[in-house]
Every structure is written in structure tokens, then in C-alpha cells.
Amino acid sequence: MNTENTRILKGDICYSTDKDTLITVENGYLVCENGISAGVFQKLPEAYMGLFVEDFTGHLIIPGLTDLHMHAPQYAFRGFKMDLELLDWLNSSAFPEEARYEDEEYARAAYSIFVNDLRKSGTTRGCFFATLHLPATEILMELLEESGLETMVGKVNMDRNCPDYLREKDAETSAALTLSWLERTAGKFQHTKPILTPRFIPACSDELMRRLADIQKSYGLPVQSHLSENPGEIAWVQELVPQSRFYGDAYDLFGLFGGDVPTIMAHCVHCLPEEMDLMEQRGVYIAHCPQSNANLTSGAAPVRAFLDRNMKVGLGSDIAGGTVLSIFRAMAESIQVSKLRARLTGDGLKPLSMQEAFFLGTKGGGSFFGNAGSFEAGYQCDALVLDESRIPHPQKLTLAERLERYIYLSGDDWILHKYVQGRKLF
Ligand code: GUN
Ligand code: FE
């Protein structure tokens, strides 16, 4: 044991071991060695006696949160023009805003605002879409690296069905730009990794998908995209890729749908049973984005069915389909949306519980990064120390009650301290 690199946090500790199990340890100790958890203890083990303890007695300590899906360039216009469905919203809002990132000065200004807010939030890890622009994407990566967060960033690929001002000339150009981006950023960052990002099937030609699959293989990159978000979009994919059996199959035909390729698909609101079978088989991650799905009238994803199948699920803010960065809020909304869905469809899928939503926002999404999102021994020490002094209560509450209240009140502004891999950000 190297005592210099040992960090001990004392407080009211909550973490998930699986979707049904919330561990709570009042006045416990979280021990981190070299950024890795050595475990949570009710009594400090002999070996650590005498070492400095960061004493947060009375405060909740929870794992850092993971935002599995968001669009960094859309942060500046969150909350505008929300009365449209996906395809109209993309054309009228998302695409014109993303086009601004051709301007490096605008990109730096806007991305600085985003990263500054993200750093203060409960999010310690995230997978982000940038735009198709190389310089702006590199600026985002630089800012995220400086922030100390653990992230994956994707230069977006899009070579069809987009306005001229935001479309790569052809598949060859899009692939060449991707290679150039990978080469320019190779080895430059420690905490900011590239992730291959075909925007979605409507915006990517077959030829582009083939070329991206080659790039994926040679660089061993993870992949992020969108799946089965909106009925109009799904019908369009069937026309564009007529040989596909369902939307997910249109990715699978090109070898970009899980298996050896770590893959995140955002939304999955309207997945067919065959589609879920394939995702389950291939270990495809679902980024559930309840707020975006409500804002863009996309629907309510059957998260209970995903969990019953033991599929891999995390939460996403999907800014600017979603309007707030808070993954606490995404937890609460995942429960609320599941309750509405249960009542309105009557399909027998039980609403999510607080424990399940907490799991989704911590270990569920965190596991895309390996051992992250929990305090079990061997996990990365990403931790939040929460301040409840603004929400005093006349009774003594249990840790689970306090956690539930914090989730429903979405206390991103009340975070006292934040650690990523044992590094203290504030
Ligand atoms: N599908 C393709 N692009 C987008 C996007 O920017 N946001 C959302 N919500 N869905 C998409
Ligand atoms: Fe999205």
C-alpha cells in the first residue's frame, strides 16, 4: 500500500452493486488507492489507521454519474424550439446551430460554457457527439481534458439527407476527415477518448458505413449513434436500407452493432422484440433519454423490458433534445416516464424504482467505461459529496430516503466535492 496515494472519505455512503441492490453505510469509510476503490467499510481497517481522513460526516457520498448520450454543440440552444418532432427539429434547430461550429471562435466560446457547467454538475463520465468539424471537435476534446472528467468524444459523420451547409461531400471525404481527426488527436489526451459517431442511418450512406466499419476495425474504436427514436425516422430507415429487418439491423449489416464493438445506441423507444433480441445478444448499450423523448414527442422507452432481459442500460441527457444536463433529473424522469407509460399503455411493465434509476445513472452507464459507477473494490474512485444543508428536514431520515429526495430535487447545484479516479476536481 502506498499511503501517499491513498484517499479516505468518511460520510453516509450509497452505491449500487446491481439494479436491485442499493448499499447504504452510515458514517462509513470509502478507501481509494491510486484512484481505485479498496472498498467501503463501516469501521476503518487497521491498515489505514492513522492516515488522513477527509471527514464529510453527515453528508451523502455517492458514485459519480455517467451521461451516456449528449450533443455538446447543442448545449447553447437548449430550451428553444421544443414544439417539433425529431426530423423537423433537426432541420430547423439542430443543424443550423451545429453549422456554427465551423467558426473556431464560436466553438471555443460555446464549448467553454458547456464544459464549465458539466464540470460543476454530478457527471463524472460522458459520451458526447461533437459536430463534423475537425478544429471544433479538437477544441472540445482539449477543454474536456482540462476539466479532469473522463469522456469519449465523437467527430460526427454525415454524408446524406442533411442540408448542404452541414453535410460532408461524400463517404470518401467523411472517412478521410475521420482518419485525419484520429491522427491529429492520437496520444494527445489521457482522459478524452475518440468514439466513432455515424450520426444515424438517415444521414450515413451505405458506402460511409462500410468505410467507418473499416476504421472501427483498424483503430478498435467504440461506436455511438441513434436507434429507433421516432416512428417517422424508423419508416425512413426501412426505405433507405430496404434489406434491413429492422432499424438496428441497418447498423448490424455493416458490423457496427455491438459484439466486439462497444456500442451505445441512444433512445431505443420503439425497438421491436427481434431488435431487442439482437441488442441483448450483442451487448449493445442503450442510452435512455427520458427528457428528450418527452420533449420531441418520441415516446416512452420500455426500460423495464430492457432490465428484465438484463440488457445494458444507462441514462443520457441528450441535450438539446433534453434541456438539462442533470443526470439526477434524468434518474427522476426515467421513473416518471415509466409510470406514465405503465398507466397509459397498460402493458404490464412495472414502473422503475428509485434504486433502479440510481443504478442506471451510476453503474449502469458507468460500466461502458469499465469498472465505474460503483464503490465496490476495484472500481474507479469517482465520487460526489452532496450537501443537503439547503433542504433541512425535521426528522431523522434514512440514507435511502435522503438519496431519493436528492434525486427528485435534482441537486446538481448542491454538490460539495467531486472526484474522478480519485482526483479531486473541487
Ligand atoms: N438523431 C440524429 N441526430 C439527432 C440529434 O441531434 N438529436 C436527437 N435527439 N436525435 C438525433
Ligand atoms: Fe441524440
Side-chain angles (χ1 to χ4, degrees):
M1 180 181 58
N2 179 348
T3 56
E4 257 182 45
N5 292 326
T6 303
R7 199 182 259 294
I8 305 170
L9 308 185
K10 180 177 187 208
D12 296 335
I13 302 173
C14 302
Y15 62 100
S16 296
T17 50
D18 59 57
K19 68 183 166 62
D20 301 312
T21 315
L22 175 71
I23 308 284
T24 61
V25 183
E26 192 166 356
N27 275 320
Y29 297 86
L30 165 64
V31 177
C32 301
E33 290 181 22
N34 299 309
I36 306 290
S37 171
V40 171
F41 307 94
Q42 184 66 78
K43 207 171 147 290
L44 193 61
E46 196 86 34
Y48 304 105
M49 293 287 190
L51 297 185
F52 177 67
V53 174
E54 293 175 73
D55 190 347
F56 303 119
T57 299
H59 292 291
L60 286 174
I61 302 177
I62 65 168
L65 313 181
T66 293
D67 189 342
L68 219 44
H69 179 76
M70 81 80 73
H71 300 258
Q74 297 177 12
Y75 189 67
F77 79 95
R78 66 201 188 287
F80 297 118
K81 293 204 218 171
M82 298 311 304
D83 292 341
L84 295 169
E85 288 199 25
L86 175 67
L87 300 174
D88 291 331
W89 176 80
L90 285 173
N91 282 311
S92 75
S93 278
F95 293 158
E97 178 67 16
E98 287 190 23
R100 291 178 184 275
Y101 287 74
E102 192 175 351
D103 175 353
E104 288 175 47
E105 221 173 294
Y106 184 82
R108 187 172 294 281
Y111 280 151
S112 296
I113 295 170
F114 159 59
V115 174
N116 193 37
D117 287 356
L118 185 72
R119 190 174 172 280
K120 290 187 285 190
S121 76
T123 299
T124 48
R125 292 171 189 261
C127 296
F128 305 130
F129 281 50
T131 60
L132 51 76
H133 312 101
L134 263 47
T137 301
E138 209 171 322
I139 289 169
L140 174 62
M141 294 175 86
E142 281 164 13
L143 292 167
L144 285 168
E145 180 75 9
E146 283 164 23
S147 76
L149 302 167
E150 289 294 314
T151 62
M152 297 187 198
V153 171
K155 170 234 170 300
V156 173
N157 297 99
M158 45 202 292
D159 73 335
R160 68 170 175 187
N161 294 321
C162 309
D164 287 347
Y165 62 79
L166 192 73
R167 187 178 61 229
E168 294 168 305
K169 193 167 137 265
D170 51 28
E172 194 182 346
T173 312
S174 180
L177 286 169
T178 304
L179 287 171
S180 155
W181 164 61
L182 292 169
E183 269 145 39
R184 274 167 63 156
T185 54
K188 200 171 157 189
F189 306 115
Q190 219 185 325
H191 306 291
T192 316
K193 305 272 156 56
I195 180 165
L196 205 59
T197 306
R199 183 168 204 126
F200 66 157
I201 291 290
C204 299
S205 66
D206 291 3
E207 178 57 19
L208 176 55
M209 294 299 278
R210 273 191 285 275
R211 285 172 185 262
L212 293 181
D214 287 344
I215 295 174
Q216 189 285 323
K217 275 197 210 79
S218 30
Y219 285 79
L221 294 173
V223 171
Q224 61 181 355
S225 194
H226 294 93
L227 181 66
S228 299
E229 179 177 4
N230 171 288
E233 171 211 21
I234 294 167
W236 196 16
V237 169
Q238 190 55 55
E239 279 171 36
L240 290 166
V241 190
Q243 70 276 33
S244 63
R245 294 170 297 156
F246 41 80
Y247 194 159
D249 195 36
Y251 291 104
D252 195 48
L253 288 170
F254 300 99
L256 295 174
F257 203 61
D260 293 336
V261 185
T263 301
I264 302 169
M265 286 290 157
H267 306 302
C268 308
V269 176
H270 305 283
C271 283
L272 298 171
E274 312 87 275
E275 199 165 21
M276 286 196 231
D277 290 343
L278 188 61
M279 295 173 80
E280 182 183 347
Q281 201 184 314
R282 297 286 170 77
V284 171
Y285 273 73
I286 296 156
H288 174 46
C289 309
Q291 190 175 86
S292 169
N293 297 158
N295 285 336
L296 299 178
T297 327
S298 301
V303 181
R304 165 66 55 212
F306 300 151
L307 291 179
D308 285 349
R309 285 167 171 256
N310 260 324
M311 292 168 79
K312 295 180 163 34
V313 195
L315 296 175
S317 64
D318 191 32
I319 300 281
T323 44
V324 294
L325 266 187
S326 172
I327 295 300
F328 288 117
R329 178 101 173 248
M331 289 177 193
E333 283 163 346
S334 72
I335 302 168
Q336 293 162 336
V337 161
S338 74
K339 289 173 178 169
L340 292 173
R341 187 183 195 285
R343 178 66 68 216
L344 292 171
T345 66
D347 67 1
L349 293 181
K350 238 175 41 189
L352 300 185
S353 67
M354 184 276 283
Q355 280 85 346
E356 288 166 330
F358 182 67
F359 169 83
L360 294 179
T362 54
K363 192 174 177 178
S367 65
F368 192 72
F369 289 79
N371 282 349
S374 180
F375 290 147
E376 293 157 87
Y379 272 66
Q380 304 278 348
C381 261
D382 301 347
L384 306 176
V385 181
L386 308 181
D387 181 7
E388 295 152 279
S389 64
R390 301 267 294 280
I391 42 173
H393 198 281
Q395 297 162 27
K396 173 152 171 64
L397 303 173
T398 65
L399 270 57
E401 285 170 335
R402 286 163 58 195
L403 181 65
E404 180 171 25
R405 181 174 70 143
Y406 204 92
I407 289 170
Y408 272 90
L409 296 180
S410 308
D412 282 69
D413 293 337
W414 307 328
I415 296 165
L416 207 55
H417 300 292
K418 179 167 173 175
Y419 302 82
V420 182
Q421 290 181 331
R423 305 183 300 276
K424 190 171 188 172
L425 266 53
F426 57 84

